[in-house]
Amino acid sequence: MVNKFDNQSPHHVVIVGGGFGGIHAVKTLNIDNIKVTIIDKRNFHLFQPLLYQVATGILSPADISSPLRSVLSKKKNTKVLLGEVCDIDPQAQKVFVGEEVIPDDTLIVAIGTKHCYFGKDDWEKFASGLKTVKMQ
Ligand SMILES: Cc1cc2nc3c(=O)[nH]c(=O)nc-3n(C[C@H](O)[C@H](O)[C@H](O)COP(=O)(O)OP(=O)(O)OC[C@H]3O[C@@H](n4cnc5c(N)ncnc54)[C@H](O)[C@@H]3O)c2cc1C
């Protein structure tokens, strides 16, 4: 087995997603001779547990969003890339962000979750249309 950490060029860890999982991964990767690229389709980290307070007007959206570059500014080996990952090739160890191809030695996918209405698509339409419902 080849130990990639023995190479002259630093081991490249690519993390997709700058949510709780991605940020935790960056902060715990305290290993010499690695470089980290974290990619997110948004340029900010969203603190989701306080979304309710934004929805109810107690906080503004800016109170629960922090620019990823600021959050990770002390991590000198870490580059923050804004872009949506559209594909990954685990065999070739490549991540695709639009036209850009990013090679990785280690890939961490931390893209969160998506809601599911268990085949009841109408429920989603109803939920997203709630804001237009007029109260009598
Ligand atoms: C309203 C609400 C309240 C919550 N309250 C709590 C709580 O009190 N306590 C608790 O422990 N948990 C709580 N949670 C759950 C918690 O927020 C999630 O478990 C946590 O955010 C998941 O972290 P994650 O890193 O997996 O995903 P996320 O935090 O969702 O991060 C995923 C990131 O990946 C990025 N991404 C997705 N797809 C792509 C792509 N293709 N290319 C590039 N980037 C991409 C997204 O932009 C996002 O930044 C709450 C969630 C919600 C919605």
Side-chain angles (χ1 to χ4, degrees):
M1 188 173 132
V2 178
N3 182 351
K4 290 178 180 168
F5 288 89
D6 290 341
N7 292 349
Q8 286 294 327
S9 62
H11 187 90
H12 187 205
V13 179
V14 174
I15 301 170
V16 186
F20 282 166
I23 288 194
H24 181 72
V26 173
K27 293 197 166 177
T28 50
L29 276 170
N30 290 319
I31 303 165
D32 289 340
N33 200 28
I34 63 164
K35 64 174 182 175
V36 179
T37 302
I38 181 164
I39 308 165
D40 202 297
K41 60 185 177 184
R42 301 186 297 217
N43 67 349
F44 57 89
H45 169 77
L46 180 69
F47 191 83
Q48 293 186 37
L50 289 175
L51 273 172
Y52 297 115
Q53 283 80 345
V54 172
T56 50
I58 295 166
L59 294 173
S60 77
D63 291 330
I64 65 163
S65 331
S66 316
L68 273 172
R69 290 203 169 124
S70 303
V71 174
L72 300 171
S73 61
K74 290 191 177 143
K75 302 296 281 184
K76 298 299 173 205
N77 66 342
T78 301
K79 181 172 142 187
V80 178
L81 195 66
L82 174 66
E84 181 158 5
V85 171
C86 51
D87 201 2
I88 57 172
D89 185 338
Q91 271 75 42
Q93 295 191 281
K94 287 185 173 136
V95 176
F96 299 86
V97 184
E99 300 286 300
E100 200 170 344
V101 182
I102 299 161
D104 69 84
D105 295 313
T106 298
L107 175 64
I108 299 173
V109 180
I111 57 171
T113 54
K114 191 176 180 301
H115 56 255
C116 176
Y117 287 87
F118 303 99
K120 308 273 187 196
D121 295 341
D122 287 351
W123 293 4
E124 179 164 20
K125 283 181 207 143
F126 173 73
S128 59
L130 272 180
K131 57 182 180 245
T132 62
V133 172
K134 284 188 185 152
M135 301 301 285
Q136 296 295 319

